[in-house]
Amino acid sequence: MATLLHIDSSAFPGEASTSRSVADTFRRAWEEQHPEGAVIHRDVAAHPVPHLTADAHTAASIAASERTPEQSAALAARLVLIEELERADAVLIGAPMYNFSIPSTLKAWLDNVILVGRTAGETRSAQGTPVTVVASRGGSYAPGTPREGHEFVQNYLRAVLEGTLGMEVDFIVPELTMAPRVPAMAELIPLYEASRLRALEDAAVKGKSLAARLTA
């Protein structure tokens, strides 16, 4: 039985969020292909995890007998998130672009699960785990576009998920999501619609194929 860890971080609920809609399509395809599997869903927008504190940062490098109660509690909270990641056979992350970067709630989750000596460093406990990122954005930051140099979501997440955690990263990128809402972008609506449809189709195919691959 395979386990999917699904992380949502959009501040917007349901269909109002492209990253949630596309991620839900991936998840449904996964569940249809692997109905006996497990899904751990963590919505860090609705239920934010603590931002990393000094106690949470230092606790792991201190012997258990020497930790303060605050350090022990902070480390215990991190370990809940780390153990969820370690149990997962695959990870799905909704990562909308906010002000050229990821939501702070998602950054907080990443800061908590990156622990040198366990998930990072010479031994990496999530090494090789496939992670699919739905990286939605209001405009376009694709190569050759005027804002290409402002693409910090994919670049950052690839560096952290692949470079630090050693995971196998794949992106689904629905773009121009603000076109239906911003009059100045009205002429881009057909491109937005095509991008959204392509993302939904990719999510359905990738969710099904990944579940089949992991349960073969």
Side-chain angles (χ1 to χ4, degrees):
M1 182 180 75
T3 297
L4 175 69
L5 173 60
H6 177 187
I7 306 293
D8 271 320
S9 64
S10 173
F12 298 93
E15 291 296 319
S17 165
T18 297
S19 68
R20 288 183 185 272
S21 298
V22 175
D24 283 347
T25 298
F26 181 105
R27 175 177 168 175
R28 286 196 301 271
W30 167 282
E31 291 173 328
E32 289 170 5
Q33 177 67 32
H34 186 42
E36 67 275 22
V39 176
I40 302 169
H41 184 215
R42 182 170 286 276
D43 188 336
V44 296
H47 305 285
V49 301
H51 283 275
L52 204 62
T53 63
D55 285 334
H57 181 73
T58 58
S61 60
I62 298 173
S65 61
E66 298 178 3
R67 291 175 194 145
T68 66
E70 293 76 16
Q71 288 171 330
S72 296
L75 180 59
R78 290 187 74 182
L79 292 178
V80 169
L81 303 176
I82 289 170
E83 288 165 5
E84 284 181 349
L85 176 62
E86 292 172 337
R87 288 201 305 273
D89 297 287
V91 179
L92 171 65
I93 298 175
M97 178 185 282
Y98 292 166
N99 299 317
F100 308 122
S101 187
I102 62 173
S104 64
T105 51
L106 180 56
K107 178 64 163 57
W109 178 81
L110 287 166
D111 286 342
N112 275 281
V113 300
I114 296 171
L115 182 59
V116 175
R118 183 155 178 173
T119 60
E122 293 184 6
T123 59
R124 301 185 286 190
S125 56
Q127 176 88 31
T129 303
V131 51
T132 304
V133 179
V134 180
S136 60
R137 60 276 317 275
S140 178
Y141 301 81
T145 61
R147 289 194 167 185
E148 175 184 358
H150 291 76
E151 208 306 300
F152 302 115
V153 171
Q154 286 176 266
N155 292 337
Y156 169 72
L157 289 177
R158 188 178 297 280
V160 171
L161 296 170
E162 190 173 274
T164 300
L165 296 177
M167 303 177 77
E168 177 190 309
V169 184
D170 186 35
F171 287 96
I172 299 173
V173 187
E175 58 181 15
L176 301 169
T177 63
M178 292 300 294
R181 301 178 179 85
V182 178
M185 296 177 68
E187 64 181 15
L188 300 175
I189 290 177
L191 293 177
Y192 152 72
E193 292 173 341
S195 177
R196 179 182 173 85
L197 179 60
R198 185 165 56 251
L200 291 169
E201 291 173 344
D202 284 350
V205 170
K206 290 180 177 181
K208 181 178 180 179
S209 63
L210 184 55
R213 168 187 149 191
L214 293 175
T215 57

